[in-house]
């Protein structure tokens, strides 16, 4: 049996925030979290941040089409546009297919 995420599409979003309007940024992130959870093909998310404003978010999708549909979602697009203007200093977005992996836990 393979890794539970094999065959899924991963959208990797590496960003650095400006630090401005932290309450607005948190509210937007919460709104996106609620919205993405209802999207067809959404399979989960991992997120990590550091104290300097760096973040890595990896969302998992059943396939590339469902990830692309999320990219085109009107509310997601609106919040993205607002983020580029106010909350983000930079970001790097990559889309990958998960071919294999290893899962370990204590």
């Amino acid at each position: 049996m393979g890794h539970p995420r094999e065959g899924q599409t991963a959208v990797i979003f590496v960003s650095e925030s400006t630090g401005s309007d932290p309450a607005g940024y948190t509210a937007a992130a919460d709104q996106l979290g609620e919205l993405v959870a209802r999207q067809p093909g959404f399979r989960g998310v991992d997120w990590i941040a550091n104290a300097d404003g760096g973040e890595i978010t990896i969302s998992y999708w059943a396939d590339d089409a469902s990830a692309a549909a999320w990219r085109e979602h009107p509310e997601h697009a609106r919040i993205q546009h607002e983020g580029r203007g106010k909350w983000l200093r930079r970001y790097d977005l990559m889309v990958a297919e998960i071919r294999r992996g290893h899962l370990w836990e204590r």
Side-chain angles (χ1 to χ4, degrees):
M1 184 166 109
H3 190 277
R5 295 218 182 270
E6 278 181 19
Q8 292 183 7
T9 296
V11 177
I12 305 160
F13 187 75
V14 180
S15 64
E16 181 183 347
S17 72
T18 61
S20 66
D21 185 26
Y25 184 62
T26 298
D30 290 346
Q31 184 180 358
L32 283 177
E34 291 173 12
L35 191 60
V36 74
R38 297 191 304 266
Q39 297 312 298
F42 178 69
R43 297 294 184 257
V45 66
D46 287 317
W47 175 82
I48 190 165
N50 67 29
D52 296 328
E55 298 181 32
I56 300 172
T57 304
I58 306 171
S59 60
Y60 303 98
W61 299 88
D63 50 34
D64 191 55
S66 55
W70 170 240
R71 180 187 67 223
E72 301 301 324
H73 189 285
E75 191 64 9
H76 181 212
R78 183 193 67 76
I79 292 172
Q80 279 181 323
H81 180 73
E82 191 172 355
R84 284 192 295 269
K86 183 183 337 185
W87 299 309
L88 297 179
R89 183 178 323 282
R90 68 168 194 86
Y91 70 83
D92 186 8
L93 184 137
M94 298 149 280
V95 179
E97 181 183 337
I98 301 172
R99 294 185 300 166
R100 65 180 167 275
H102 305 279
L103 182 62
W104 180 89
E105 63 183 272
R106 184 174 303 273

